[in-house]
Amino acid sequence: APVLSLSALTGERMEGIFPTLRRLADKYRQRVATSPLNQVLREAVERHSATSEGRPLKFYYITQVGTAPPTFLCFVNHPNAIHFSYQRYLQNEIRKRLDFGEAPIRLRFRSRRPSRMP
């Protein structure tokens, strides 16, 4: 979150509050098309691939499923095998490349197919 230096007592630098709040609210409600999301995902995975027990994880595609906060659903072959540090890496790539600024980002992982019952 951004830090604003101001004084409630003297009113110094108070004019910066509302423009910052508007900018944050816009980022919080921002929507992104699936195509740019998939481009960011593809390039992020190419730069830094993920593995689970020595096998590469396959990322199929990503889509935005909600706003406030921006929520993304990523389809992958082994959703439970994604390490929290790799999830954070993907969140940071999305934030940086698609200009989400300081808005929190939720990233969910799901398999393309429902799991089979034995």
Side-chain angles (χ1 to χ4, degrees):
V3 176
L4 298 176
S5 175
L6 53 92
S7 171
L9 184 63
T10 65
E12 187 177 7
R13 293 189 292 270
M14 295 289 285
E15 68 278 353
I17 291 177
F18 290 108
T20 301
L21 288 174
R22 274 192 224 65
R23 182 176 47 81
L24 289 173
D26 289 344
K27 298 297 179 186
Y28 196 65
R29 293 186 298 256
Q30 181 174 326
R31 278 212 163 272
V32 177
T34 300
S35 180
L37 277 170
N38 283 309
Q39 182 68 29
V40 169
L41 178 66
R42 186 172 29 262
E43 291 172 4
V45 170
E46 284 175 5
R47 270 194 304 279
H48 182 68
S49 61
T51 60
S52 171
E53 299 173 4
R55 296 180 319 209
L57 292 174
K58 290 183 183 178
F59 289 85
Y60 301 113
Y61 66 97
I62 186 170
T63 187
Q64 186 170 3
V65 294
T67 60
T71 305
F72 303 95
L73 182 58
C74 187
F75 290 87
V76 62
N77 61 344
H78 299 290
N80 295 329
I82 297 172
H83 196 267
F84 74 90
S85 62
Y86 197 78
Q87 179 176 348
R88 190 171 52 236
Y89 163 70
L90 291 176
Q91 288 172 330
N92 288 335
E93 286 295 308
I94 291 169
R95 181 185 323 283
K96 179 175 59 176
R97 299 274 312 281
L98 298 173
D99 193 30
F100 276 95
E102 298 93 354
I105 292 177
R106 288 187 186 158
L107 191 55
R108 308 271 192 247
F109 299 95
R110 185 182 296 169
S111 177
R112 282 200 303 188
R113 297 182 190 100
S115 59
R116 297 181 197 163
M117 298 294 283

